[in-house]
Amino acid sequence: MLNYLWGFMILAGMFWGAANDSLEAVTQGLLDSAAEAVNLAIVMAGIMSFWCGILEIGKRAGLIDWLAERLGPVLTFLFPELKRDHPARLPIAVNMVANMLGLGMAATPAGLEAMRLLQQDETLSPDKQTASDAMCTFLIINISSLQLVPISMIAYRSQYGSVNPAGILGPALFATGCSTLAAVIFCKLMGLLREVRRR
């Protein structure tokens, strides 16, 4: 759907430029935007490499295991069906920590690993074609993504010359806090509704 939307917008811009005899400006805008996109990709690749490296160092130093243990009560509340020794708890914790730091790209491998482990668990997911409650909860929590430090957004703002790139810390924390709270409430209400239907 988005491909059609973007395609329509590009074609509409080109037709508008041709109709108003400003096709040269449209072409120049396309070239400038392409160059800017490449520059931004290079900057973001450097920032993400740095933070992914920090995350890997934290993993090897045992910091991630320590954080996962600190997140134990939160994980038990969100995923009551997962036992304390369930192998998916660690990648879920890594994913949540990375998202809290605004490192969505670094959170993806841990998220995929968590989903794989949740799907392989026969007690949680007897039907491999249907997402289990734990998988749905994890996906919703991942999408809502509480961010204590939105590093990626700060990097974008810095790249585009913001006077105060870190000025979004408060609003981002408030917005993602609200979205995560809404996600948790939704998951718990849906869980209660399923329990009532089973009875």
Side-chain angles (χ1 to χ4, degrees):
M1 181 65 184
L2 281 177
N3 289 340
Y4 294 118
L5 179 63
W6 282 110
F8 170 75
M9 289 169 58
I10 290 169
L11 288 174
M14 291 172 73
F15 284 131
W16 182 262
N20 290 297
D21 201 26
S22 58
L23 200 53
E24 188 178 329
V26 172
T27 305
Q28 190 59 47
L30 285 170
L31 293 173
D32 291 345
S33 297
E36 193 174 326
V38 170
N39 288 335
L40 181 62
I42 291 170
V43 169
M44 292 309 296
I47 291 168
M48 293 312 296
S49 297
F50 172 76
W51 284 105
C52 285
I54 294 293
L55 202 61
E56 185 61 28
I57 290 169
K59 235 190 242 185
R60 295 186 184 187
L63 180 62
I64 299 298
D65 289 335
W66 181 82
L67 284 171
E69 204 168 306
R70 301 286 82 76
L71 282 174
V74 175
L75 294 178
T76 301
F77 172 73
L78 292 174
F79 307 97
E81 60 271 59
L82 295 185
K83 296 177 181 173
R84 289 191 64 83
D85 60 346
H86 196 284
R89 282 175 70 105
L90 181 60
I92 288 173
V94 171
N95 178 274
M96 290 175 72
V97 169
N99 275 327
M100 284 180 196
L101 296 175
L103 301 170
M105 292 179 207
T108 301
L112 292 173
E113 176 66 10
M115 278 295 193
R116 186 183 67 76
L117 291 169
L118 289 172
Q119 187 182 35
Q120 285 179 349
D121 190 328
E122 295 291 335
T123 58
L124 296 174
S125 208
D127 179 8
K128 299 304 177 189
Q129 301 302 315
T130 305
S132 65
D133 288 353
M135 292 169 76
C136 292
T137 300
F138 176 60
L139 182 63
I140 291 171
I141 296 297
N142 196 356
I143 292 169
S144 66
S145 184
L146 174 67
Q147 292 193 4
L148 303 177
V149 185
I151 291 168
S152 299
M153 192 55 63
I154 290 171
Y156 286 132
R157 287 169 55 87
S158 177
Q159 174 70 10
Y160 286 107
S162 172
V163 177
N164 183 14
I168 59 163
L169 282 173
L173 180 59
F174 176 75
T176 58
C178 288
S179 67
T180 302
L181 180 62
V184 170
I185 291 170
F186 175 79
C187 290
K188 291 301 176 185
L189 286 176
M190 291 305 293
L192 287 172
L193 187 61
R194 276 190 294 273
E195 286 297 322
V196 169
R197 283 179 180 168
R198 283 172 190 157
R199 291 174 193 170

